């Protein structure tokens, strides 16, 4: 039980006339959640690279004092925050409530990024790199949506159940 982690096997606690069944909670490693977190992190790294490149190209050709636009800057900031803070998601695995809150916050931020990317870069006449930016924002958002559903299910399953013994 190091660092407050739950035991790896399920067990039953009996006190008086009530019996509590604790769901099977794994310790640190959740392979499905880890793969989804890696997918989200890699997508945000790709979005970070593409949006930083586009801002650099814009400033290069439009002038160094020109502003590339709020939407692209917002997408870049969310990608930077995700790359920086999403590494904590690997440490928060044993605590589904913190992971759920963390994923909820980032999913709403990425939802706005998806909307901005879909409105700005869905035209046929934009470069293909912008379509890649849009695609990877979708991947990051849907990965976070999966994380929310999975951690909610895990949190719900790990809640103690109380039954009365007659």
């Amino acid at each position: 039980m190091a660092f407050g982690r739950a035991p790896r096997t399920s067990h039953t606690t009996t006190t008086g006339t009530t019996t509590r069944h604790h769901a099977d909670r794994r310790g640190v490693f959740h392979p499905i959640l880890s793969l989804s977190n890696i997918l989200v992190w890699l997508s945000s790294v790709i979005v970070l690279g593409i949006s930083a490149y586009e801002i650099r190209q814009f400033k290069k050709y439009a002038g160094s004092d020109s502003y590339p636009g709020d939407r692209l800057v917002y997408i870049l900031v969310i990608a930077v925050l995700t790359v920086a803070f999403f590494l904590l998601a690997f440490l928060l695995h044993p605590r589904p409530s913190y992971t759920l809150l963390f994923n909820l916050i980032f999913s709403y931020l990425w939802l706005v990024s998806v909307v901005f990317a879909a409105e700005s870069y869905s035209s046929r006449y934009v470069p293909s790199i912008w379509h890649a930016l849009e695609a990877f924002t979708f991947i990051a958002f849907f990965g976070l949506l999966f994380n929310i559903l999975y951690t909610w299910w895990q949190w719900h399953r790990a809640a103690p159940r109380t039954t009365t013994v007659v």
Side-chain angles (χ1 to χ4, degrees), residues 119-149:
E119 285 181 349
S120 301
Y121 310 126
S122 288
S123 173
R124 242 202 230 183
Y125 306 107
V126 296
S128 61
I129 195 166
W130 289 3
H131 290 292
L133 177 76
E134 181 182 6
F136 282 107
T137 57
F138 275 107
I139 290 171
F141 171 70
F142 285 118
L144 284 166
L145 187 64
F146 172 77
N147 283 353
I148 289 170
L149 294 174

Side-chain angles (χ1 to χ4, degrees), residues 15-29:
T15 55
T17 60
T18 60
T19 304
R20 290 180 177 223
H21 297 281
H22 299 280
D24 181 23
R25 282 186 61 193
R26 296 181 183 174
V28 175
F29 186 66

Side-chain angles (χ1 to χ4, degrees), residues 62-79:
S64 62
D65 58 343
S66 59
Y67 186 64
D70 293 333
R71 293 179 176 197
L72 190 57
V73 171
Y74 178 84
I75 292 171
L76 175 70
V77 168
I78 297 307

